[in-house]
Amino acid sequence: RIAQPAMLRTAAALSRGGVAASGPIGSRFQSTATKIKAPPMVFIRGEEMTRYCMDLIMQRWIEPHFDTSAWEFFDLSCKSRDDTEDKVLYDAVAAGARIGAIFKEPTVTPTQEQKELLGLKKTWGSPNGAMRKGWNGITISRDTIHIEGMELGYKRPVLFERHAVGGEYGAGFKTVGSGKVLTLFLPKDGGNATIVDQRELADDNNAVVTYHNPLDNVP
């Protein structure tokens, strides 16, 4: 289960009583009201504007009204992942599997340019794949942060385009049991076969999907 934004809305409603708060994340604030004991949760910190916004939300609306001592915090910023050789990611995944309640800020998958700009050792991959694998395919839910007084939505038409040739449109699939899946590429000229992917299936019921994206029609 994923932490729901209802807690944020409840905290915002409580804050209208005039309780002021300031200070760094993790500090404890004094309040005239009794704090609500928040259940255990994994809080994954990310990058950029959402991190800044969540710092403000924590300081002003969460910490003054909720006891978050049962929460476990993990910093998945590029710098933190680089400093820990990605250990922080796998610690967060393990904690999420143990606790079963996770709130995740958006993270950055660094490009080569960002690697050089931030002085990273490597371009660390997206953490979402490790999370889904560690949490047995759990869906990472996202919700919009609604700020009172700020109008949302587009004023002009927005056109989205995506690749609609190949991919899932021409996918092959089969439901199988436990065992091994091996995907081979056999060259047209009769050359040596190449292993594209291989994996072990531990579950008794699995859906295996195979598809490719032709790149010769991409500008």
Side-chain angles (χ1 to χ4, degrees), residues 47-65:
E47 208 92 57
E48 298 181 334
M49 277 305 298
T50 302
R51 179 165 183 157
Y52 173 74
C53 291
M54 283 307 304
D55 283 354
L56 294 179
I57 290 171
M58 288 289 294
Q59 292 166 7
R60 296 186 61 182
W61 297 321
I62 300 296
E63 289 286 359
H65 309 291

Side-chain angles (χ1 to χ4, degrees), residues 7 21 23 41-42 51 54 66 89 98 103 105 116-117 121 128 145 147 152 175 184 200 207:
M7 181 176 288
M41 184 180 77
V42 172
R51 179 165 183 157
M54 283 307 304
F66 293 90
L89 169 60
R98 170 170 46 84
F103 176 89
E105 298 174 7
E116 297 171 3
L117 182 65
K121 302 183 189 76
N128 292 340
I145 298 176
I147 302 175
L152 301 177
T175 301
L184 287 178
E200 298 286 340

Side-chain angles (χ1 to χ4, degrees), residues 30-50:
Q30 298 299 319
S31 172
T32 56
T34 302
K35 288 188 177 183
I36 299 171
K37 179 71 173 180
M41 184 180 77
V42 172
F43 191 112
I44 296 176
R45 304 192 69 202
E47 208 92 57
E48 298 181 334
M49 277 305 298
T50 302

Side-chain angles (χ1 to χ4, degrees), residues 150-187:
M150 180 178 290
E151 187 176 358
L152 301 177
Y154 295 102
K155 297 299 183 184
R156 298 180 180 179
V158 178
L159 178 64
F160 295 92
E161 294 185 358
R162 65 186 178 89
H163 195 191
V165 176
E168 63 269 25
Y169 290 94
F173 67 93
K174 184 76 70 175
T175 301
V176 298
S178 59
K180 179 181 291 187
V181 172
L182 180 65
T183 304
L184 287 178
F185 167 70
L186 303 174

